[in-house]
Amino acid sequence: MDILALARRNSAPPGYTTPPFPSLHIPLQDPQYNLYTVRDIWRFTLLWTLILYGLFHLGAAGIAVLMQVGKRRPNWKYMWLVPLVYVAVAGFEALVAGSVVGVVVGASYVTGNFTMSTWIPFVWGWANVMVLIVSSFTIQGGL
């Protein structure tokens, strides 16, 4: 098969525009809400990962701040830094995880000549969060 014919077959349909974020649309097979390029897939995965990591890290920061209720007053002097540090860490972790997963999944879909529903980056964002949660526990024992 001619490489140019393969590239044309693998390209977005004429008149395609990237759907607006978040575009979680039902029915899932509506071609208007599909992603065709690695850049679009990466962007949607990165944005969902940033949002979900931010929510979970802010929840953890909220619990950390609530744990200080009833403690001595000097502890409150630095507690406003906790949410800022957690959000900064979440942003960095999400940037790395979302970028790696977005590019790998996007390249896999484009190489396999598949179109991606806008729900798939959302699911991969949740998968990134689940990996983060599981990896936060220490595992006792081992081999």
Side-chain angles (χ1 to χ4, degrees):
M1 177 179 266
D2 183 18
I3 193 76
L4 292 175
L6 181 62
R8 281 190 297 274
R9 192 182 86 198
N10 198 20
S11 63
Y16 168 74
T17 58
T18 303
F21 184 81
S23 291
L24 296 177
H25 186 268
I26 296 176
L28 299 177
Q29 298 302 322
D30 188 357
Q32 178 183 357
Y33 295 99
N34 283 344
L35 303 173
Y36 291 91
T37 65
V38 175
R39 184 179 185 282
D40 293 341
I41 295 168
W42 166 77
R43 187 173 65 90
F44 271 64
T45 307
L46 177 65
L47 290 174
W48 277 119
T49 305
L50 280 166
I51 290 167
L52 295 171
Y53 268 47
L55 290 174
F56 275 78
H57 277 77
L58 281 176
I63 291 171
V65 169
L66 288 175
M67 286 287 138
Q68 295 301 316
V69 173
K71 302 277 177 143
R72 295 183 310 133
R73 194 72 175 149
N75 290 344
W76 285 97
K77 188 170 158 181
Y78 301 107
M79 286 310 294
W80 64 273
L81 285 172
V82 171
L84 294 177
V85 170
Y86 274 53
V87 167
V89 168
F92 177 74
E93 290 175 344
L95 182 67
V96 171
S99 291
V100 169
V101 170
V103 168
V104 169
V105 170
S108 300
Y109 268 73
V110 170
T111 302
N113 198 26
F114 300 115
T115 61
M116 179 182 282
S117 168
T118 53
W119 282 87
I120 302 298
F122 176 69
V123 171
W124 276 105
W126 278 105
N128 284 335
V129 168
M130 292 303 129
V131 168
L132 178 74
I133 291 170
V134 168
S135 65
S136 68
F137 292 104
T138 57
I139 298 175
Q140 301 297 326
L143 297 177

